[in-house]
Amino acid sequence: MEKDTFKAHTQYGDLKGSVSADRTDQNNFSDLLRERDVLKGGEIVKGITFYNEGHYFSVSAFIENEQGELRKERVAMSLEELFKTFKRFSVTLSRGGELEGQEIHFVDVQQ
């Protein structure tokens, strides 16, 4: 049995933040996994990770079966294919995460 911490991380962690996403109503990530016969009846996707480094892109799904056991499945797909499974996708990043969760005030610069 493998073990890992479900948290985004990079080698240096220069920028940190958060992410929020809405699934598409049809052809979402779970639907794609069902089409590929990765997701079986009674199973649900509990989490998704993706990682990019240069030309390397990796997607993994964390799938829970009816017994509550979790498994990790690597999913071959492009970044474009992944983003098509979401209706909306929002990411925030700030230096060291210093703005995360903060109400920020900024000057509106008129051009």
Side-chain angles (χ1 to χ4, degrees):
M1 178 178 284
E2 289 186 52
K3 186 171 143 179
D4 200 354
T5 302
F6 193 82
K7 184 165 176 59
H9 60 280
T10 58
Q11 184 174 358
Y12 301 110
D14 298 325
L15 301 173
K16 294 182 180 179
S18 62
V19 63
S20 183
D22 294 333
R23 293 182 299 249
T24 57
D25 296 328
Q26 297 175 346
N27 300 318
N28 61 43
F29 191 75
S30 294
D31 294 334
L32 181 126
L33 294 184
R34 274 189 214 89
E35 287 174 13
R36 295 182 179 188
D37 205 31
V38 174
L39 191 63
K40 313 283 191 249
E43 294 182 328
I44 59 171
V45 175
K46 294 291 276 194
I48 302 168
T49 62
F50 64 95
Y51 179 80
N52 183 70
E53 181 180 354
H55 296 290
Y56 174 76
F57 181 69
S58 172
V59 178
S60 293
F62 292 82
I63 299 171
E64 184 179 71
N65 65 20
E66 292 176 338
Q67 293 75 38
E69 300 166 322
L70 208 56
R71 76 174 189 279
K72 181 179 180 179
E73 292 273 354
R74 295 205 187 276
V75 182
M77 64 189 323
S78 68
L79 180 63
E80 182 180 0
E81 289 173 309
L82 175 65
F83 276 99
K84 284 182 179 179
T85 68
F86 298 101
K87 188 185 301 184
R88 285 174 282 279
F89 202 97
S90 176
V91 176
T92 62
L93 295 169
S94 62
R95 187 180 65 174
E98 62 188 37
L99 296 179
E100 192 61 27
Q102 301 293 320
E103 181 176 317
I104 58 174
H105 300 273
F106 49 93
V107 180
D108 185 16
V109 180
Q110 298 293 323
Q111 299 279 335

